Amino acid sequence: MKKHSARVAPLSSYSAQVLTCTISEGEDGSDSHAETPVSETSGDGTAYQTCVNTVLKVLGGLLVVLCVSSCWVGITQVVQLTFKSFSCPFFITWFSTNWNILFFPLYYSGHVATTREKQTPIQKFRECSRLFGEDGMSLKVFLKRTAPFSILWTLTNYLYLLALRKLTATDVSALYCCHKAFVFLLSWIVLKDRFMGVRIVAAIMAITGIVMMAYADGFHGDSFMGVAFAVGSASTSALYKVLFKMFLGSANLGEAAHFFSTMGFFNLIFISCVPLILYFTRVEHWGSLSSLPWGYLCGVAGLWLVFNILVNVGVVLTYPILISIGTLLSVPGNAAIDVLKHEVIFSVVRLAATCIICLGFLLLLLPEEWDMVTLRFLTTLADKKTEEHGEELTESSVHTRSRSRANGAVSIPMA
């Protein structure tokens, strides 16, 4: 396969050089005319293919957005159903995180099904281990790189489940959207990312929404604790993402699958003692294993695994901004279920806080060069209007002169 590509490349470059020389030198007019339709046709075909690929990418992205938002809504709602008979949030978090071990085997199965050059699981695993450094995976690297992220991952999910015991699914999903603002603030302070005024405004809006959500019930009781847990979950999620960018950089799909499976192994080996401690201290006492709601537990764990796969696959296949929009759409999705199924009545303060947080989230999705693009668009639009206005003045002047000549008058321009 490699030999074939090595042979094709020189031929294609040579033919491109021949066509360029023929057209630019113009030794034979018939040749140049004969070649022009071919180049135009190939250009039109390339543009058409690019347009088709863009449309397919957007449609695929919209499908991923729908699946991502549905999975997040499903996780939130199934967790609340689980709490009715099994109120052990840390056990649910630990059990769901263990399912991350399946990420790399699923990725390798897809790799085998879609790639001609087959690699053994060990070869592919070592190749994806480059995320941890050139030396690959070792026990020291495993503990040093995986432990902080695994702890932050567990804290994020555990605090999110604790918040669901105190607040409605709509409130928790809206407050979790504040993690985008926290990511910007941490990136600006720690990673020295570019300062953007609009993102500072979005961060202020997120903080305003948090305060309004806490104020809705008077800064006391379960509501205030639920807001604190949800904000804590958003904060640990933001710290997780910033540290990942700082120490590990960007990762492709295989490296992400390797990383998630590694975190699953770390959770199974080192964090399994925590549910046992909580069980024997009766902080989370779940009784016999046969009495556990395994259907709900497997449903939550499966949806969480699918959500993580969709997020990482979606970033590769489509535009990353669509994945963020999918997370945001979980807020109206949960709100619809809360109103229709649970008959929740939202106060005006909570609705206003949710809308402010969501608007701030959307502002954070603006690209870094959005101001330059907007100014360029407005300048182009203004120039276009000026040209149209000038054409209208020219047409009216010509019309006035022709009418004056018809009446025997002479138009004298003013100095």
Side-chain angles (χ1 to χ4, degrees):
M1 187 68 187
K2 291 183 180 179
K3 291 182 179 180
H4 179 68
S5 61
R7 292 176 182 174
V8 171
L11 289 175
S12 60
S13 60
Y14 173 74
S15 60
Q17 291 173 0
V18 171
L19 290 176
T20 304
C21 291
T22 304
I23 295 172
S24 61
E25 291 177 4
E27 294 177 355
D28 190 352
S30 60
D31 289 344
S32 62
H33 288 296
E35 293 293 340
T36 302
V38 176
S39 61
E40 290 179 355
T41 304
S42 61
D44 293 341
T46 303
Y48 174 76
Q49 187 65 33
T50 304
C51 183
V52 170
N53 291 337
T54 304
V55 171
L56 291 177
K57 194 173 183 179
V58 171
L59 292 177
L62 294 177
L63 180 61
V64 172
V65 165
L66 181 61
C67 294
V68 166
S69 59
S70 300
C71 283
W72 195 245
V73 171
I75 291 168
T76 306
Q77 295 295 329
V78 175
V79 165
Q80 288 195 326
L81 290 175
T82 308
F83 281 158
K84 293 181 179 180
S85 58
F86 184 72
S87 185
C88 299
F90 194 92
F91 182 87
I92 297 174
T93 302
W94 171 81
F95 180 77
S96 301
T97 306
N98 287 335
W99 282 47
N100 285 341
I101 298 174
L102 300 175
F103 202 140
F104 186 81
L106 291 174
Y107 163 76
Y108 181 76
S109 300
H111 165 75
V112 171
T114 57
T115 309
R116 292 183 179 180
E117 296 181 0
K118 310 298 182 184
Q119 289 180 301
T120 64
I122 300 299
Q123 290 175 336
K124 195 63 181 175
F125 189 83
R126 289 176 178 174
E127 178 184 329
C128 296
S129 299
R130 295 173 184 172
L131 177 68
F132 297 94
E134 295 297 330
D135 297 333
M137 178 64 71
S138 63
L139 181 60
K140 181 180 179 181
V141 172
F142 172 74
L143 295 175
K144 182 179 178 180
R145 295 294 189 184
T146 309
F149 295 106
S150 183
I151 292 172
L152 287 173
W153 176 275
T154 302
L155 279 176
T156 298
N157 297 330
Y158 178 55
L159 292 172
Y160 188 86
L161 298 190
L162 285 177
L164 286 173
R165 291 204 302 186
K166 307 290 184 180
L167 300 173
T168 63
T170 306
D171 294 341
V172 177
S173 57
L175 288 168
Y176 183 74
C177 288
C178 294
H179 78 275
K180 200 78 174 177
F182 299 154
V183 167
F184 162 69
L185 293 175
L186 286 174
S187 299
W188 177 41
I189 296 171
V190 179
L191 302 180
K192 308 300 180 182
D193 282 0
R194 178 187 172 189
F195 173 82
M196 290 183 62
V198 67
R199 293 187 178 178
I200 289 292
V201 173
I204 294 173
M205 293 176 68
I207 296 172
T208 303
I210 292 170
V211 174
M212 291 177 64
M213 195 75 73
Y215 171 76
D217 291 331
F219 294 100
H220 64 273
D222 291 342
S223 178
F224 181 76
M225 291 300 299
V227 172
F229 288 141
V231 174
S233 176
S235 302
T236 52
S237 175
L239 184 59
Y240 169 91
K241 293 178 180 180
V242 172
L243 289 179
F244 188 95
K245 184 178 179 180
M246 180 187 297
F247 294 110
L248 300 179
S250 59
N252 56 35
L253 183 57
E255 291 171 344
H258 179 284
F259 183 74
F260 274 92
S261 293
T262 304
M263 282 203 306
F265 274 112
F266 184 92
N267 182 80
L268 181 62
I269 297 172
F270 294 100
I271 303 184
S272 296
C273 60
V274 179
L276 295 176
I277 294 173
L278 295 178
Y279 173 80
F280 288 114
T281 56
R282 294 195 172 271
V283 176
E284 289 188 0
H285 188 74
W286 58 80
S288 62
L289 294 177
S290 60
S291 63
L292 297 181
W294 290 109
Y296 286 147
L297 291 175
C298 293
V300 172
L303 286 172
W304 230 318
L305 177 63
V306 173
F307 175 81
N308 293 326
I309 293 174
L310 286 174
V311 168
N312 288 277
V313 173
V315 169
V316 175
L317 298 181
T318 185
Y319 303 101
I321 190 174
L322 295 177
I323 307 302
S324 299
I325 293 175
T327 305
L328 180 64
L329 289 178
S330 66
V331 178
N334 281 314
I337 295 177
D338 285 342
V339 171
L340 297 177
K341 186 176 181 180
H342 304 295
E343 298 181 352
V344 176
I345 300 176
F346 297 101
S347 63
V348 177
V349 177
R350 288 187 179 277
L351 285 175
T354 301
C355 293
I356 290 173
I357 292 173
C358 292
L359 181 58
F361 187 92
L362 289 175
L363 290 178
L364 288 165
L365 296 181
L366 292 174
E368 291 187 357
E369 291 79 14
W370 74 275
D371 49 351
M372 300 298 295
V373 174
T374 304
L375 288 175
R376 196 180 301 120
F377 174 75
L378 293 176
T379 303
T380 305
L381 191 62
D383 292 341
K384 188 175 181 181
K385 287 184 177 180
T386 303
E387 292 177 359
E388 291 178 354
H389 184 62
E391 292 176 357
E392 290 177 358
L393 290 177
T394 304
E395 291 177 358
S396 63
S397 176
V398 171
H399 182 66
T400 303
R401 289 179 182 177
S402 60
R403 187 172 58 184
S404 298
R405 288 172 183 174
N407 295 330
V410 179
S411 177
I412 302 175
M414 298 296 293

